[in-house]
Structures are given as C-alpha cells and as structure tokens.
Amino acid sequence: MKGQGQKLGLCFLGSDMAVAALSWLAAYWLRFPAELGPPPPNGAPPFEWCLRGLPLILLLTMLSCRMSGLYHLHRLRRLRQEFPGILRANAILFLLLIAITFYRKDPYKSRLAMGMFLVINIVGLAAARRAAWSLVHYLRGRGFNPSRAIIVGSGRMAQKLARILRANAWTGLEVIGFVDDGTRPSVLDIPVLGGIEQLSAIAELEQVGYVFVALPLARFGDMRTVMDQLADTLADVRLVPDVPNLAAASLSVSELSGLPVVGLRENPHNGVNRLVKRAMDVAIAATALVVLSPVFLIIALAIKLTSRGPVFYRQDRAGLAGESFQMLKFRSMHADAEHQTGPVWAAENDPRRTRLGQFLRSTSLDELPQFVNVLKGDMSLVGPRPERPVFIHKFRGTVPHYMLRHTVKAGITGWAQIHGWRGNTSLRKRVQYDLYYIAHWTPWLDLRIMILTLVRGMINRNAY
C-alpha cells in the first residue's frame, strides 16, 4: 500500500482493533453481569481476567485480519468483498484464541463468552467496515482523494471500461485519456494521448495512478511492449481481459504453484453453492405445492371437464449436462396434438390449444406441475428454460455457446423470462440472458428473479 492507501489501511487497523476490544468486553458483560446463559458453576470470573486477555485479542485480531487480506486495499474494492474476509479472519481468530487459551491454561476460558465474542465481533466488524467504506466512497464520489487513470486500448472493451468508471464515481478514478496506436484524436470525448510506444512518458507526465490494459485478444502480442513501457512507473496496472465472446461465462483466477490460471467456464453451483441452491429449491417448491394444492385441484377438474385426455402432459426436455428428463405440465393442447405435425414450437393462435389451454398458457399456470420436477431434482426454481432434445441438436450448431446453458440445472423461470425473452422471440437474446445469469449467479439473484416472476413474469404477451 502506498500514499492514501497506507493511511486508509491504518484507519481500518485501528477500527478493527477497537471493534475487537469492545466485542471482547461486551461478551464478558453479556455472559456474566447480564447473566445470559446458565449460571457458571464456579461463579463469575473477575473482570480483571477479562482485561488481561485484551492484549492477546488485539494481537490476534491484527494477525488474522492481515492473513485474511482485509488490509489489501485498492480503489476497486467493493463492500461485498469484505464479508468473506471478515468471516475468514474471525475463524482464524477464534481457533487461535481457543488454542492459546487452553495451552496457557488461562483461568478465563468461558466457551459461551468466547462464542458470544465471535458473533459480536463478526457483526461489529461488518458494520464498521460498511460504515467506513460508505464514507470513503461518498467522499471519493465528491472529488476527495482522486486518482488519475489511463486506458491502454480504445476498442470496444476499453470504451466499455471508460463508461463503467465514469458511472462509478465512488472509485475516485478520473479517466484522463486512452493510449493506443491510431489516428483518432478522441474516443467518447476522451482524448487519445498517444501511442503505446509513448506509454511510459505519458504515465510519468500525467502523474497517473492507475493504468488499465484493455486490448483485444488480436493484439495480445502488444502486452510485452505495454509491460516494458510500464517497467519504470509506479502506477497500479490492471488487466481487463477482452474475452467475453470466448468465455461466454464467468471468469475466475486461481494459482497453481505460482502460475496464475484463468478459468473461463465454471459451474457456479458447486460446493456450498450447490447445497444452498438445492435447499432453496426444496423448501420453496414443497411450500408452493402445499399452498397451491387447491389451485392444482381446480385446474385438474377444469381440464377433465373441458377436453378429452389426461390432466398432465409429459415431455422430454434436456437439463443439466444435456441429460433428458420428463417435464410435467398441465395439458393445454388437444390429446395427440403433435401426432400429425411432429415436434414444433408453439405459435401465436396455435390451433392445437384448447380454450382452457389458451388461458393456462397466457397466465403460465400450465407450468405449475414443474414444482414436482424441482423436488425430484430434475430442475431448479431458477435457471435457463429446458428445451426439447430435438431442437437442441438444431440450435447447438447455429447459436454460439448454446450448450453452456446446460452447465446448470434448467429452471421454471429465469433471467431471460422476466425480461420478456420467452415464446417465439430471439433465441440468441435468450441465450445471452441465460449466460448472464450463469456468470452472475447468487442466491439473492435467484430470489430477485422469483419475485419479479410473480410481479411481471407470469402473464406475458409472448406466452403462448
């Protein structure tokens, strides 16, 4: 860290230690004077024992936060990046505290008090960090502590980056120009300061704090020149890889024996994420089936009374890894509707629909039985809509990255559906939205999609 970053790091260090000290004292007060929990068998320990442990708490707090990267500060750091580090730091702090306390045979070793300290410290650190970063972002957005930045490249990705930095004033970064070979004097009303061969002189003359390298893949060979030019500068250099068309999914960076490895295709629903998503699916689907059971009964009776044939319709669809499963729907077409036509997409004013089926499709009520598919594990509540295998063989050769939709489970609803891309609409747009969902998945995004489905996704002019 350098300059303002070093001062900010010291402020965070002081804040973290203050929170840890207050949490330690609060845990003692809650456990003993406030008598939260069962009475201790040997009575409350003296307050002096608690105070004697404070220096150790401060030392371990500084060590665990440092080990967890909480002082690795830069202008692009977001608040959501703090919480995993806070949890990791507190886990290290708690384990070290338990080990040292029992090794030293410290008389103050209340397990309940230590557990309270852990909970209070996590909440306190998260609140303090949120307040601190909010203040820093507020001040930077109003011109305090600015930093000058240049972008190497002037193509699509470089322009996108410039617009993003302009829109995120909280970074305090001012894009003063592009550096690229060519004749254009400016891009997006931002001047082109010179060519790549002049990068070193430009960075020194303009007193640049950040250099963003946003060259397209076709110009990857220029990276050597860029790094040679930046060898004598102290600017923070960041690479913005122009690989969205290649990856069509999320990027991740890992390390293998010191060698950085960039992941271009990863399933976000692995490990703990997989358990979280499955728990959400089971809990919500089971609740929905119980709550909606009267609706199921009414629709089933209506189908039986208005047309000949079964209540449910089973259709082969492809889900995770392209494996087929039987997707359930309330029957909305006449029995044996595809006997003559074969597999075809539903069209507006489709003559194969029943009168009740037209209503069920326009309101998406025909999709309700898929909650059973969710409980069985064939589908998820949220994900790309499953397609029929006969159509997949056609689309995979004509729509770029189509098969990446199958890296996650298919869903009853999805990011594409709440944005209107359903029915006979642009397949490329639908895939684009599906891939965005896969790349940006979080449990909160799933909840958002479910809420928006209820608000605006059930009835749609393209649902036929």
Side-chain angles (χ1 to χ4, degrees):
M1 295 182 294
K2 56 185 180 181
Q4 298 296 328
Q6 187 175 20
K7 297 176 184 178
L8 187 60
L10 290 174
C11 290
F12 276 120
L13 175 61
S15 171
D16 294 343
M17 296 177 74
V19 168
L22 291 174
S23 300
W24 182 252
L25 298 176
Y28 176 89
W29 183 85
L30 288 173
R31 176 64 185 97
F32 300 111
E35 298 181 350
L36 189 63
N42 300 321
F47 183 60
E48 289 76 12
W49 290 4
C50 174
L51 289 178
R52 279 193 321 208
L54 261 181
L56 177 63
I57 291 298
L58 297 179
L59 177 62
L60 294 182
T61 295
M62 180 172 60
L63 177 63
S64 59
C65 288
R66 177 68 182 84
M67 292 173 62
S68 301
L70 290 179
Y71 305 126
H72 179 64
L73 307 177
H74 54 79
R75 289 180 178 267
L76 304 181
R77 190 175 180 92
R78 300 299 298 266
L79 184 61
R80 61 173 174 263
Q81 296 174 285
E82 295 284 280
F83 197 64
I86 290 172
L87 292 179
R88 188 162 52 248
N90 276 276
I92 296 172
L93 170 61
F94 188 70
L95 292 175
L96 290 175
L97 178 62
I98 291 292
I100 293 174
T101 298
F102 282 91
Y103 176 76
R104 294 171 52 193
K105 297 181 179 179
D106 195 317
Y108 181 61
K109 53 183 178 182
S110 169
R111 296 174 184 175
L112 186 54
M114 288 185 180
M116 291 178 179
F117 164 68
L118 177 66
V119 174
I120 297 171
N121 199 47
I122 290 174
V123 174
L125 283 179
R129 288 268 170 163
R130 181 179 182 84
W133 277 116
S134 296
L135 177 61
V136 169
H137 291 171
Y138 174 82
L139 294 175
R140 284 177 178 169
R142 278 148 186 79
F144 290 90
N145 184 223
S147 184
R148 296 158 70 84
I150 56 177
I151 299 176
V152 180
S154 59
R156 177 185 58 83
M157 184 58 68
Q159 294 177 36
K160 181 179 180 181
L161 173 62
R163 286 191 287 267
I164 289 175
L165 290 176
R166 277 179 170 177
N168 291 274
W170 57 266
T171 63
L173 290 172
E174 177 192 2
V175 179
I176 62 170
F178 294 97
V179 175
D180 201 3
D181 300 327
T183 57
R184 288 187 294 181
S186 65
V187 178
L188 298 178
D189 297 326
I190 300 174
V192 177
L193 302 175
I196 292 178
E197 296 290 345
Q198 303 168 287
L199 178 57
S200 178
I202 292 170
E204 183 176 354
L205 178 64
E206 300 292 345
Q207 296 183 338
V208 170
Y210 277 77
V211 177
F212 293 93
V213 183
L215 295 171
L217 280 177
R219 297 181 57 189
F220 191 75
D222 291 337
M223 280 295 300
R224 182 60 181 267
T225 304
V226 170
M227 297 312 297
D228 287 343
Q229 285 288 314
L230 294 173
D232 294 330
T233 68
L234 297 178
D236 192 321
V237 182
R238 302 276 167 165
L239 175 65
V240 184
D242 186 11
V243 294
N245 291 329
L246 173 64
S250 58
L251 297 178
S252 64
V253 180
S254 56
E255 187 177 293
L256 180 62
S257 298
L259 179 69
V261 180
V262 180
L264 301 180
R265 295 183 182 179
E266 290 188 357
N267 185 342
H269 305 157
N270 279 329
V272 175
N273 289 342
R274 183 177 182 179
L275 296 177
V276 170
K277 187 168 177 67
R278 183 59 183 157
M280 288 176 58
D281 285 344
V282 171
I284 297 176
T287 303
L289 285 172
V290 172
V291 172
L292 296 174
S293 56
V295 179
F296 274 64
L297 181 59
I298 293 171
I299 294 175
L301 288 173
I303 292 173
K304 273 297 185 183
L305 292 173
T306 57
S307 65
R308 178 183 56 85
V311 170
F312 297 106
Y313 176 64
R314 291 173 173 81
Q315 190 177 69
D316 281 338
R317 296 290 179 109
L320 180 63
E323 295 183 1
S324 294
F325 66 94
Q326 292 277 299
M327 190 180 77
L328 282 175
K329 300 180 75 171
F330 281 121
R331 183 174 57 83
S332 59
M333 293 188 177
H334 295 288
D336 300 324
E338 291 188 338
H339 181 68
Q340 292 182 340
T341 64
V344 294
W345 268 20
E348 192 172 4
N349 300 320
D350 196 323
R352 300 174 300 166
R353 293 178 305 180
T354 64
R355 294 184 64 179
L356 176 62
Q358 183 176 352
F359 169 76
L360 293 177
R361 281 178 171 261
S362 64
T363 57
S364 301
L365 292 175
D366 63 323
E367 311 284 359
L368 292 181
Q370 287 158 40
F371 284 117
V372 176
N373 288 115
V374 173
L375 282 183
K376 291 173 61 179
D378 296 328
M379 296 176 63
S380 176
L381 292 169
V382 180
R385 283 295 293 165
E387 193 50 79
R388 301 174 70 173
V390 65
F391 294 136
I392 291 175
H393 291 301
K394 175 183 176 182
F395 298 149
R396 67 186 303 174
T398 57
V399 180
H401 313 298
Y402 182 84
M403 292 304 293
L404 289 181
R405 300 169 74 250
H406 298 286
T407 57
V408 298
K409 282 185 179 180
I412 296 178
T413 185
W415 188 244
Q417 281 64 46
I418 64 171
H419 285 88
W421 300 108
R422 54 183 298 186
N424 194 16
T425 55
S426 171
L427 184 59
R428 288 176 179 265
K429 276 290 185 182
R430 200 180 312 172
V431 171
Q432 178 183 335
Y433 276 76
D434 287 339
L435 296 183
Y436 176 90
Y437 165 77
I438 294 172
H440 297 86
W441 177 85
T442 64
W444 318 119
L445 180 59
D446 273 4
L447 290 174
R448 179 185 174 190
I449 291 172
M450 283 184 264
I451 293 170
L452 289 176
T453 298
L454 294 174
V455 172
R456 69 188 187 194
M458 295 288 290
I459 301 176
N460 188 280
R461 58 193 174 95
N462 297 317
Y464 45 74

